[in-house]
Amino acid sequence: MADPTEDKDLESLNHELITLIRHGSLDKKHGGLDRSSYTLLHHLSNYDKVGVKALAEEFGLDTSTISRQTSVLEAKGYVVRVPDPQDGRSSYFQLTDLGLQKFTEARDIRLQRYEQIFADWSSSDCHTFSELLARLNRKLQQK
């Protein structure tokens, strides 16, 4: 098997992924939410309520990191902590109306930005790129 450090395709993929992550992390100026806030709000927008442990597992972070990040969102009024009726020590996070509004505004700004970025791509290219990113994400989730 060839040495992976000598594989030009792998090095090119490494470079492009680093560049994508770096540029994607600059989206705060495109919607007013930093990457972690946007990601958490996006996840919470898809569920009624989510516990700290479930968030930690979803994002591959420890519960203390998720607790810090959700505390910031809670202080801004974007999420509320809802006690677990079956376990008084646990709680869930739920998106507030303000949180949904901020998330929706940020998402719409991002989608407009992507619309401009991909304006000269064919529908077929966008579809293929989306499928390849989904395939990569599924593989990364398997860790």
Side-chain angles (χ1 to χ4, degrees):
M1 183 171 199
D3 182 353
T5 60
E6 294 179 9
D7 188 322
K8 298 291 184 205
D9 289 335
L10 286 179
E11 184 53 40
S12 177
L13 279 169
N14 181 53
H15 172 78
E16 295 304 331
L17 286 170
I18 288 169
T19 303
L20 176 66
I21 292 166
R22 183 170 42 90
H23 287 294
S25 296
L26 299 177
D27 271 347
K28 185 172 184 179
K29 65 182 177 186
H30 302 288
L33 294 172
D34 61 55
R35 181 179 44 86
S36 63
S37 294
Y38 182 83
T39 304
L40 283 167
L41 293 177
H42 181 271
H43 187 75
L44 290 169
S45 74
N46 291 308
Y47 299 94
D48 181 39
K49 54 188 178 184
V50 182
V52 172
K53 286 183 183 178
L55 287 171
E57 287 176 15
E58 174 67 25
F59 295 107
L61 300 169
D62 59 64
T63 55
S64 64
T65 301
I66 289 293
S67 291
R68 279 193 306 276
Q69 291 176 347
T70 51
S71 291
V72 170
L73 297 176
E74 193 175 16
K76 292 180 178 183
Y78 298 168
V79 300
V80 300
R81 191 179 301 255
V82 179
D84 182 344
Q86 297 175 347
D87 181 357
R89 300 168 299 168
S90 296
S91 59
Y92 296 100
F93 288 98
Q94 197 169 31
L95 203 56
T96 64
D97 289 341
L98 176 61
L100 180 59
Q101 176 189 341
K102 291 294 183 182
F103 166 71
T104 302
E105 289 170 2
R107 184 201 59 211
D108 291 350
I109 290 169
R110 284 171 178 240
L111 292 177
Q112 289 170 2
R113 181 173 174 235
Y114 296 146
E115 186 175 26
Q116 293 170 354
I117 290 168
F118 294 109
D120 61 346
W121 287 39
S122 72
S123 178
S124 175
D125 283 348
C126 287
H127 181 78
T128 299
F129 186 55
S130 178
E131 284 186 336
L132 289 170
L133 284 174
R135 183 174 159 193
L136 173 62
N137 284 327
R138 284 190 302 273
K139 198 70 163 177
L140 290 170
Q141 272 184 318
Q142 293 173 359
K143 304 182 212 181

